[in-house]
């Protein structure tokens, strides 16, 4: 790892499912810790982008580096929150069990979580405001609470880079604020937080930098410079109802301190 | 069928409760098998692949027949080795159909079950029709028949079952991780494909080991029903595992004991009936998830909004 290596670098990345490419030639380098938004319409390839970065789908062209190294060498420094729909919430595990899974990367195959890991998990649950629900079965949580359990599990990974896939989907406004505050606090600890996100208004409000994606990289940079009407029109081409939201997004940004 | 079987268990008067030493050993062996089948089945159910065992199970008959034809022997280890080879082959074909030919999951399973089971039945029918020496009695693997087991056979089954339980116990944390959230497991560097393969292999082994007790047609029930019943009682994977094991054990023991009541009675249906009874009770009375509980809660809930 060199001092100048970006925290996360995607170099000319192309990803295909079968023979159909869904992401074309994405070039993206994030050099500073920040709250980074990945924004685009449904099916734009946002989840695919995160999965490609994590090696969960094969990259057919280009490469991904974390801290200048391939993922395999720095896996312990990368945390992940999958989209909530990927798991069966009727699964017989408790909130605590799930958060403890965040420590498995460090523990390895055979060691079981002990007192230290439980202490860490409790601390992470505390950060997302769920410490009272540690023993509850995960199916008996609201959507927003489930998202926060996933967030707590990622925190328990004690990573330097976090990749989160729609951690705010199906979450009410109050929980959204709460989750964003946790993410901002993580950023303030000098970590990179990459968030796939849908809502342009909150995006303008919270993210330091964003990338607009629609099967390719449309634009990336500081939020204010990227979320322009022109860029948004290019990303959401043909989706008229979004232009209204865009107007609101721009107005909102003017009001934030 | 009875002519070819080993020692008649019921007739032999034994030291405990009228059961012979051999019967007791067989009973203990089958109890272990039931426990291990429930344990392996729990992980298969949690990974949402309850039916992989079914394809493997139906193929075992073909393996049993082929092993007999090729070696001319009919001792249990030989026949079960044949069954295991056939079970694994069936699973490989299943993966091939799904991945390469891109057949739907359930269609692929149905194809493998139909073809391998039909071929197995035809092979056994051919062996019986030709009256090959020792060929009679192979059809016991269709529905299970523990009366023919020797103490040595039972020890073999118990050993394989103990190995399965030990493996699951050691890998439990990783197996649950992959079953709950495979993308996350892959993201932290776990070889999800390998762990899945190991799980399927464990289920295949349990299906083969359960063959003498439950038979090719019904052995899946021994893998699937106890975990489903256990899930009713608990919301923790660890307890579910233990409970499913105990339910499987109880069903296996009850079925085998019932089958000793009359000579020539197939064990499989009795084992499965016992498992189904446990499952039915669990559906009815388990707290939180049982229907009696849910109905009474509904009624109680009417008062408050
Ligand atoms: N496993 C898969 N096999 C084949 N195609 C897939 C697979 N997963 C996603 N795709 C396709 O790839 C494209 C991008 O999907 P992706 O899930 O990355 O979109 P997304 O931007 O995350 O969308 P959303 O906002 O709905 O989550 C879509 O066209 C989708 O149909
Ligand atoms: Mg997505």
């Amino acid at each position: 790892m060199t001092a100048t290596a970006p925290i996360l670098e995607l170099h000319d990345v192309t990803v295909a499912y079968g023979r159909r490419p869904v992401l074309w030639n994405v070039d993206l380098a994030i050099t500073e810790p920040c709250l980074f938004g990945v924004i685009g319409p449904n099916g734009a390839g946002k989840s695919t982008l995160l999965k490609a970065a994590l090696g969960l789908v094969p990259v057919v062209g280009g490469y991904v580096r974390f801290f200048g190294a391939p993922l395999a060498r720095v896996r312990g420094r990368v945390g992940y929150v999958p989209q909530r729909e990927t798991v069966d919430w009727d699964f017989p595990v408790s909130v605590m069990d799930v958060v403890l899974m965040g420590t498995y990367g460090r523990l390895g195959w055979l060691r079981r979580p002990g007192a230290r890991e439980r202490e860490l998990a409790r601390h992470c649950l505390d950060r997302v405001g769920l410490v009272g629900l540690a023993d509850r079965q995960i199916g008996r949580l609201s959507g927003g609470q489930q998202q926060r359990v996933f967030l707590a599990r990622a925190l328990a990974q004690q990573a330097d880079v976090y990749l989160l896939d729609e951690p705010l989907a199906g979450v009410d406004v109050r929980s959204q604020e709460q989750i964003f505050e946790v993410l901002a606090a993580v950023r303030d600890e000098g970590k990179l937080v990459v968030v796939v996100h849908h809502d342009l208004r909150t995006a303008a409000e919270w993210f330091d930098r964003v990338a607009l994606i629609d099967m390719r990289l449309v634009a990336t940079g500081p939020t204010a410079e990227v979320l322009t009407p022109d860029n948004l029109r290019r990303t959401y081409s043909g989706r008229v109802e979004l232009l209204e939201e865009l107007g609101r997004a721009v107005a909102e940004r003017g009001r934030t301190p | 069928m009875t002519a070819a079987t080993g020692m008649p268990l019921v007739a032999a008067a034994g030291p405990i409760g009228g059961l012979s030493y051999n019967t007791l050993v067989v009973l203990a062996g089958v109890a272990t098998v039931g426990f291990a089948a429930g344990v392996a089945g729990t992980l298969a159910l949690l990974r949402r692949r309850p039916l992989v065992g079914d394809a493997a199970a139906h193929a075992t008959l073909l393996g049993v027949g082929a092993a007999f034809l090729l070696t001319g022997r009919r001792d249990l280890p030989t026949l079960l080795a044949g069954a295991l080879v056939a079970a694994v082959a069936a699973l490989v074909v299943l993966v091939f159909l799904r991945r390469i030919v891109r057949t739907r999951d359930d269609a692929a399973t149905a194809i493998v079950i139909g073809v391998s089971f039909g071929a197995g039945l035809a092979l056994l029918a051919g062996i019986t029709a030709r009256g090959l020496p020792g060929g009679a009695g192979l059809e016991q693997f269709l529905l299970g028949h523990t009366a023919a087991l020797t103490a040595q056979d039972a020890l073999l089954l118990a050993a394989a079952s103990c190995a399965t339980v030990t493996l699951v116990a050691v890998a439990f944390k990783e197996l649950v991780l992959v079953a709950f959230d495979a993308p996350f497991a892959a993201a932290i560097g776990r070889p999800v494909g390998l762990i899945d393969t190991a799980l399927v292999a464990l289920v295949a082994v349990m299906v083969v080991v359960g063959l003498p007790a439950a038979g090719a047609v019904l052995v899946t029930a021994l893998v699937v029903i106890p975990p489903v019943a256990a899930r009713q009682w608990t919301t923790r994977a660890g307890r579910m595992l233990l409970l499913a094991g105990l339910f499987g054990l109880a069903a296996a023991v009850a079925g085998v004991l019932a089958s000793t009541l009359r000579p020539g009675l197939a064990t499989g249906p009795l084992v499965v009936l016992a498992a189904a009874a446990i499952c039915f009770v669990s559906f009815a009375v388990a707290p939180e998830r049982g229907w009696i509980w849910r109905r009474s809660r509904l009624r109680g809930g009417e008062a408050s909004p």
Side-chain angles (χ1 to χ4, degrees), chain A residues 27-55:
Chain A
D27 254 316
L28 187 66
I30 309 175
T31 49
E32 298 289 322
C34 63
L35 203 46
F36 190 99
V38 175
I39 296 165
N42 287 121
K46 305 180 296 296
S47 300
T48 304
L49 184 79
L50 293 200
K51 286 183 192 159
L54 289 160

PDB file of all heavy atoms in Angstrom, chain A residues 27-55:
ATOM      1  N   ASP A  27     -14.969   3.998 -14.237  1.00  0.00           N
ATOM      2  CA  ASP A  27     -13.706   4.496 -13.695  1.00  0.00           C
ATOM      3  C   ASP A  27     -14.023   5.355 -12.499  1.00  0.00           C
ATOM      4  O   ASP A  27     -14.680   6.376 -12.630  1.00  0.00           O
ATOM      5  CB  ASP A  27     -12.993   5.367 -14.743  1.00  0.00           C
ATOM      6  CG  ASP A  27     -11.816   4.659 -15.355  1.00  0.00           C
ATOM      7  OD1 ASP A  27     -11.050   4.040 -14.592  1.00  0.00           O
ATOM      8  OD2 ASP A  27     -11.685   4.708 -16.593  1.00  0.00           O
ATOM      9  N   LEU A  28     -13.555   4.930 -11.333  1.00  0.00           N
ATOM     10  CA  LEU A  28     -13.955   5.660 -10.130  1.00  0.00           C
ATOM     11  C   LEU A  28     -12.835   5.510  -9.116  1.00  0.00           C
ATOM     12  O   LEU A  28     -12.378   4.402  -8.857  1.00  0.00           O
ATOM     13  CB  LEU A  28     -15.255   5.046  -9.599  1.00  0.00           C
ATOM     14  CG  LEU A  28     -15.977   5.720  -8.447  1.00  0.00           C
ATOM     15  CD1 LEU A  28     -16.497   7.070  -8.891  1.00  0.00           C
ATOM     16  CD2 LEU A  28     -17.139   4.845  -8.001  1.00  0.00           C
ATOM     17  N   ALA A  29     -12.367   6.641  -8.580  1.00  0.00           N
ATOM     18  CA  ALA A  29     -11.351   6.558  -7.539  1.00  0.00           C
ATOM     19  C   ALA A  29     -11.757   7.468  -6.395  1.00  0.00           C
ATOM     20  O   ALA A  29     -12.066   8.637  -6.601  1.00  0.00           O
ATOM     21  CB  ALA A  29      -9.990   6.970  -8.091  1.00  0.00           C
ATOM     22  N   ILE A  30     -11.805   6.907  -5.185  1.00  0.00           N
ATOM     23  CA  ILE A  30     -12.156   7.704  -4.014  1.00  0.00           C
ATOM     24  C   ILE A  30     -10.910   7.779  -3.137  1.00  0.00           C
ATOM     25  O   ILE A  30     -10.428   6.749  -2.643  1.00  0.00           O
ATOM     26  CB  ILE A  30     -13.331   7.080  -3.242  1.00  0.00           C
ATOM     27  CG1 ILE A  30     -14.490   6.791  -4.196  1.00  0.00           C
ATOM     28  CG2 ILE A  30     -13.781   8.014  -2.128  1.00  0.00           C
ATOM     29  CD1 ILE A  30     -15.654   6.077  -3.551  1.00  0.00           C
ATOM     30  N   THR A  31     -10.390   8.974  -2.973  1.00  0.00           N
ATOM     31  CA  THR A  31      -9.096   9.112  -2.300  1.00  0.00           C
ATOM     32  C   THR A  31      -9.218   9.546  -0.848  1.00  0.00           C
ATOM     33  O   THR A  31      -8.322   9.277  -0.051  1.00  0.00           O
ATOM     34  CB  THR A  31      -8.217  10.131  -3.038  1.00  0.00           C
ATOM     35  OG1 THR A  31      -8.991  11.311  -3.259  1.00  0.00           O
ATOM     36  CG2 THR A  31      -7.756   9.581  -4.378  1.00  0.00           C
ATOM     37  N   GLU A  32     -10.333  10.205  -0.499  1.00  0.00           N
ATOM     38  CA  GLU A  32     -10.476  10.730   0.862  1.00  0.00           C
ATOM     39  C   GLU A  32     -11.631  10.026   1.568  1.00  0.00           C
ATOM     40  O   GLU A  32     -12.629   9.685   0.927  1.00  0.00           O
ATOM     41  CB  GLU A  32     -10.805  12.230   0.808  1.00  0.00           C
ATOM     42  CG  GLU A  32      -9.738  13.079   0.175  1.00  0.00           C
ATOM     43  CD  GLU A  32      -8.518  13.182   1.069  1.00  0.00           C
ATOM     44  OE1 GLU A  32      -8.713  13.263   2.307  1.00  0.00           O
ATOM     45  OE2 GLU A  32      -7.390  13.145   0.554  1.00  0.00           O
ATOM     46  N   PRO A  33     -11.518   9.851   2.894  1.00  0.00           N
ATOM     47  CA  PRO A  33     -12.672   9.348   3.634  1.00  0.00           C
ATOM     48  C   PRO A  33     -13.837  10.322   3.476  1.00  0.00           C
ATOM     49  O   PRO A  33     -13.637  11.529   3.596  1.00  0.00           O
ATOM     50  CB  PRO A  33     -12.193   9.341   5.092  1.00  0.00           C
ATOM     51  CG  PRO A  33     -10.721   9.395   5.021  1.00  0.00           C
ATOM     52  CD  PRO A  33     -10.374  10.122   3.763  1.00  0.00           C
ATOM     53  N   CYS A  34     -15.000   9.811   3.153  1.00  0.00           N
ATOM     54  CA  CYS A  34     -16.160  10.685   3.007  1.00  0.00           C
ATOM     55  C   CYS A  34     -17.423   9.839   3.008  1.00  0.00           C
ATOM     56  O   CYS A  34     -17.364   8.618   3.067  1.00  0.00           O
ATOM     57  CB  CYS A  34     -16.075  11.486   1.708  1.00  0.00           C
ATOM     58  SG  CYS A  34     -16.084  10.471   0.219  1.00  0.00           S
ATOM     59  N   LEU A  35     -18.564  10.529   2.978  1.00  0.00           N
ATOM     60  CA  LEU A  35     -19.850   9.868   2.815  1.00  0.00           C
ATOM     61  C   LEU A  35     -20.165   9.949   1.336  1.00  0.00           C
ATOM     62  O   LEU A  35     -20.421  11.027   0.795  1.00  0.00           O
ATOM     63  CB  LEU A  35     -20.893  10.612   3.660  1.00  0.00           C
ATOM     64  CG  LEU A  35     -22.145   9.887   4.099  1.00  0.00           C
ATOM     65  CD1 LEU A  35     -21.826   8.510   4.643  1.00  0.00           C
ATOM     66  CD2 LEU A  35     -22.856  10.699   5.167  1.00  0.00           C
ATOM     67  N   PHE A  36     -20.102   8.797   0.669  1.00  0.00           N
ATOM     68  CA  PHE A  36     -20.151   8.765  -0.791  1.00  0.00           C
ATOM     69  C   PHE A  36     -21.440   8.107  -1.258  1.00  0.00           C
ATOM     70  O   PHE A  36     -21.716   6.965  -0.916  1.00  0.00           O
ATOM     71  CB  PHE A  36     -18.932   7.989  -1.302  1.00  0.00           C
ATOM     72  CG  PHE A  36     -18.728   8.086  -2.783  1.00  0.00           C
ATOM     73  CD1 PHE A  36     -17.810   8.985  -3.310  1.00  0.00           C
ATOM     74  CD2 PHE A  36     -19.451   7.288  -3.663  1.00  0.00           C
ATOM     75  CE1 PHE A  36     -17.612   9.084  -4.686  1.00  0.00           C
ATOM     76  CE2 PHE A  36     -19.252   7.385  -5.030  1.00  0.00           C
ATOM     77  CZ  PHE A  36     -18.333   8.288  -5.546  1.00  0.00           C
ATOM     78  N   GLY A  37     -22.236   8.815  -2.041  1.00  0.00           N
ATOM     79  CA  GLY A  37     -23.509   8.270  -2.520  1.00  0.00           C
ATOM     80  C   GLY A  37     -23.402   7.708  -3.915  1.00  0.00           C
ATOM     81  O   GLY A  37     -22.781   8.305  -4.785  1.00  0.00           O
ATOM     82  N   VAL A  38     -24.004   6.519  -4.125  1.00  0.00           N
ATOM     83  CA  VAL A  38     -24.105   5.953  -5.468  1.00  0.00           C
ATOM     84  C   VAL A  38     -25.575   6.018  -5.854  1.00  0.00           C
ATOM     85  O   VAL A  38     -26.419   5.408  -5.211  1.00  0.00           O
ATOM     86  CB  VAL A  38     -23.602   4.495  -5.507  1.00  0.00           C
ATOM     87  CG1 VAL A  38     -23.829   3.907  -6.889  1.00  0.00           C
ATOM     88  CG2 VAL A  38     -22.144   4.427  -5.120  1.00  0.00           C
ATOM     89  N   ILE A  39     -25.864   6.805  -6.891  1.00  0.00           N
ATOM     90  CA  ILE A  39     -27.258   7.128  -7.195  1.00  0.00           C
ATOM     91  C   ILE A  39     -27.571   6.807  -8.640  1.00  0.00           C
ATOM     92  O   ILE A  39     -26.744   6.998  -9.534  1.00  0.00           O
ATOM     93  CB  ILE A  39     -27.501   8.622  -6.906  1.00  0.00           C
ATOM     94  CG1 ILE A  39     -27.318   8.871  -5.403  1.00  0.00           C
ATOM     95  CG2 ILE A  39     -28.892   9.065  -7.342  1.00  0.00           C
ATOM     96  CD1 ILE A  39     -27.180  10.306  -5.035  1.00  0.00           C
ATOM     97  N   GLY A  40     -28.789   6.267  -8.843  1.00  0.00           N
ATOM     98  CA  GLY A  40     -29.214   5.950 -10.203  1.00  0.00           C
ATOM     99  C   GLY A  40     -30.563   5.266 -10.175  1.00  0.00           C
ATOM    100  O   GLY A  40     -31.029   4.855  -9.116  1.00  0.00           O
ATOM    101  N   PRO A  41     -31.201   5.125 -11.339  1.00  0.00           N
ATOM    102  CA  PRO A  41     -32.536   4.514 -11.385  1.00  0.00           C
ATOM    103  C   PRO A  41     -32.485   3.013 -11.099  1.00  0.00           C
ATOM    104  O   PRO A  41     -31.403   2.429 -11.032  1.00  0.00           O
ATOM    105  CB  PRO A  41     -32.986   4.777 -12.827  1.00  0.00           C
ATOM    106  CG  PRO A  41     -31.733   4.998 -13.596  1.00  0.00           C
ATOM    107  CD  PRO A  41     -30.751   5.592 -12.650  1.00  0.00           C
ATOM    108  N   ASN A  42     -33.664   2.390 -10.974  1.00  0.00           N
ATOM    109  CA  ASN A  42     -33.740   0.937 -10.771  1.00  0.00           C
ATOM    110  C   ASN A  42     -33.088   0.221 -11.945  1.00  0.00           C
ATOM    111  O   ASN A  42     -33.286   0.602 -13.091  1.00  0.00           O
ATOM    112  CB  ASN A  42     -35.201   0.471 -10.681  1.00  0.00           C
ATOM    113  CG  ASN A  42     -35.837   0.885  -9.371  1.00  0.00           C
ATOM    114  OD1 ASN A  42     -36.831   1.582  -9.358  1.00  0.00           O
ATOM    115  ND2 ASN A  42     -35.257   0.482  -8.280  1.00  0.00           N
ATOM    116  N   GLY A  43     -32.316  -0.801 -11.617  1.00  0.00           N
ATOM    117  CA  GLY A  43     -31.675  -1.578 -12.674  1.00  0.00           C
ATOM    118  C   GLY A  43     -30.468  -0.888 -13.281  1.00  0.00           C
ATOM    119  O   GLY A  43     -29.931  -1.331 -14.291  1.00  0.00           O
ATOM    120  N   ALA A  44     -30.016   0.209 -12.654  1.00  0.00           N
ATOM    121  CA  ALA A  44     -28.878   0.954 -13.201  1.00  0.00           C
ATOM    122  C   ALA A  44     -27.567   0.209 -12.983  1.00  0.00           C
ATOM    123  O   ALA A  44     -26.569   0.487 -13.640  1.00  0.00           O
ATOM    124  CB  ALA A  44     -28.804   2.330 -12.555  1.00  0.00           C
ATOM    125  N   GLY A  45     -27.576  -0.726 -12.041  1.00  0.00           N
ATOM    126  CA  GLY A  45     -26.358  -1.475 -11.761  1.00  0.00           C
ATOM    127  C   GLY A  45     -25.662  -1.033 -10.483  1.00  0.00           C
ATOM    128  O   GLY A  45     -24.470  -1.284 -10.303  1.00  0.00           O
ATOM    129  N   LYS A  46     -26.411  -0.410  -9.580  1.00  0.00           N
ATOM    130  CA  LYS A  46     -25.811   0.075  -8.326  1.00  0.00           C
ATOM    131  C   LYS A  46     -25.385  -1.093  -7.445  1.00  0.00           C
ATOM    132  O   LYS A  46     -24.250  -1.141  -6.952  1.00  0.00           O
ATOM    133  CB  LYS A  46     -26.811   0.967  -7.573  1.00  0.00           C
ATOM    134  CG  LYS A  46     -27.339   2.113  -8.415  1.00  0.00           C
ATOM    135  CD  LYS A  46     -28.319   2.988  -7.660  1.00  0.00           C
ATOM    136  CE  LYS A  46     -29.605   2.294  -7.243  1.00  0.00           C
ATOM    137  NZ  LYS A  46     -30.444   1.833  -8.355  1.00  0.00           N
ATOM    138  N   SER A  47     -26.313  -2.053  -7.246  1.00  0.00           N
ATOM    139  CA  SER A  47     -25.957  -3.233  -6.444  1.00  0.00           C
ATOM    140  C   SER A  47     -24.822  -3.992  -7.108  1.00  0.00           C
ATOM    141  O   SER A  47     -23.900  -4.475  -6.434  1.00  0.00           O
ATOM    142  CB  SER A  47     -27.163  -4.162  -6.297  1.00  0.00           C
ATOM    143  OG  SER A  47     -28.217  -3.496  -5.657  1.00  0.00           O
ATOM    144  N   THR A  48     -24.899  -4.079  -8.421  1.00  0.00           N
ATOM    145  CA  THR A  48     -23.863  -4.788  -9.167  1.00  0.00           C
ATOM    146  C   THR A  48     -22.497  -4.137  -8.959  1.00  0.00           C
ATOM    147  O   THR A  48     -21.483  -4.832  -8.832  1.00  0.00           O
ATOM    148  CB  THR A  48     -24.219  -4.813 -10.665  1.00  0.00           C
ATOM    149  OG1 THR A  48     -25.515  -5.396 -10.819  1.00  0.00           O
ATOM    150  CG2 THR A  48     -23.207  -5.607 -11.461  1.00  0.00           C
ATOM    151  N   LEU A  49     -22.491  -2.810  -8.882  1.00  0.00           N
ATOM    152  CA  LEU A  49     -21.235  -2.095  -8.658  1.00  0.00           C
ATOM    153  C   LEU A  49     -20.606  -2.516  -7.322  1.00  0.00           C
ATOM    154  O   LEU A  49     -19.412  -2.834  -7.254  1.00  0.00           O
ATOM    155  CB  LEU A  49     -21.497  -0.583  -8.678  1.00  0.00           C
ATOM    156  CG  LEU A  49     -20.269   0.300  -8.550  1.00  0.00           C
ATOM    157  CD1 LEU A  49     -19.555   0.385  -9.877  1.00  0.00           C
ATOM    158  CD2 LEU A  49     -20.636   1.698  -8.070  1.00  0.00           C
ATOM    159  N   LEU A  50     -21.428  -2.539  -6.265  1.00  0.00           N
ATOM    160  CA  LEU A  50     -20.902  -2.951  -4.963  1.00  0.00           C
ATOM    161  C   LEU A  50     -20.443  -4.398  -5.006  1.00  0.00           C
ATOM    162  O   LEU A  50     -19.380  -4.752  -4.494  1.00  0.00           O
ATOM    163  CB  LEU A  50     -21.965  -2.797  -3.868  1.00  0.00           C
ATOM    164  CG  LEU A  50     -22.434  -1.395  -3.478  1.00  0.00           C
ATOM    165  CD1 LEU A  50     -23.083  -1.433  -2.103  1.00  0.00           C
ATOM    166  CD2 LEU A  50     -21.295  -0.400  -3.482  1.00  0.00           C
ATOM    167  N   LYS A  51     -21.264  -5.255  -5.619  1.00  0.00           N
ATOM    168  CA  LYS A  51     -20.905  -6.679  -5.673  1.00  0.00           C
ATOM    169  C   LYS A  51     -19.620  -6.889  -6.458  1.00  0.00           C
ATOM    170  O   LYS A  51     -18.804  -7.746  -6.098  1.00  0.00           O
ATOM    171  CB  LYS A  51     -22.043  -7.478  -6.316  1.00  0.00           C
ATOM    172  CG  LYS A  51     -23.237  -7.636  -5.402  1.00  0.00           C
ATOM    173  CD  LYS A  51     -24.292  -8.499  -6.066  1.00  0.00           C
ATOM    174  CE  LYS A  51     -25.613  -8.441  -5.324  1.00  0.00           C
ATOM    175  NZ  LYS A  51     -26.728  -8.852  -6.185  1.00  0.00           N
ATOM    176  N   ALA A  52     -19.439  -6.109  -7.519  1.00  0.00           N
ATOM    177  CA  ALA A  52     -18.197  -6.234  -8.291  1.00  0.00           C
ATOM    178  C   ALA A  52     -17.012  -5.811  -7.433  1.00  0.00           C
ATOM    179  O   ALA A  52     -15.962  -6.457  -7.435  1.00  0.00           O
ATOM    180  CB  ALA A  52     -18.279  -5.402  -9.560  1.00  0.00           C
ATOM    181  N   ALA A  53     -17.190  -4.730  -6.674  1.00  0.00           N
ATOM    182  CA  ALA A  53     -16.096  -4.266  -5.807  1.00  0.00           C
ATOM    183  C   ALA A  53     -15.734  -5.341  -4.794  1.00  0.00           C
ATOM    184  O   ALA A  53     -14.566  -5.517  -4.443  1.00  0.00           O
ATOM    185  CB  ALA A  53     -16.504  -2.976  -5.105  1.00  0.00           C
ATOM    186  N   LEU A  54     -16.738  -6.105  -4.330  1.00  0.00           N
ATOM    187  CA  LEU A  54     -16.509  -7.122  -3.301  1.00  0.00           C
ATOM    188  C   LEU A  54     -16.178  -8.484  -3.897  1.00  0.00           C
ATOM    189  O   LEU A  54     -16.043  -9.468  -3.169  1.00  0.00           O
ATOM    190  CB  LEU A  54     -17.756  -7.255  -2.428  1.00  0.00           C
ATOM    191  CG  LEU A  54     -18.003  -6.072  -1.502  1.00  0.00           C
ATOM    192  CD1 LEU A  54     -19.448  -6.040  -1.057  1.00  0.00           C
ATOM    193  CD2 LEU A  54     -17.076  -6.152  -0.298  1.00  0.00           C
ATOM    194  N   GLY A  55     -16.085  -8.550  -5.216  1.00  0.00           N
ATOM    195  CA  GLY A  55     -15.765  -9.828  -5.837  1.00  0.00           C
ATOM    196  C   GLY A  55     -16.905 -10.818  -5.810  1.00  0.00           C
ATOM    197  O   GLY A  55     -16.694 -12.022  -5.980  1.00  0.00           O
TER     198      GLY A  55
END
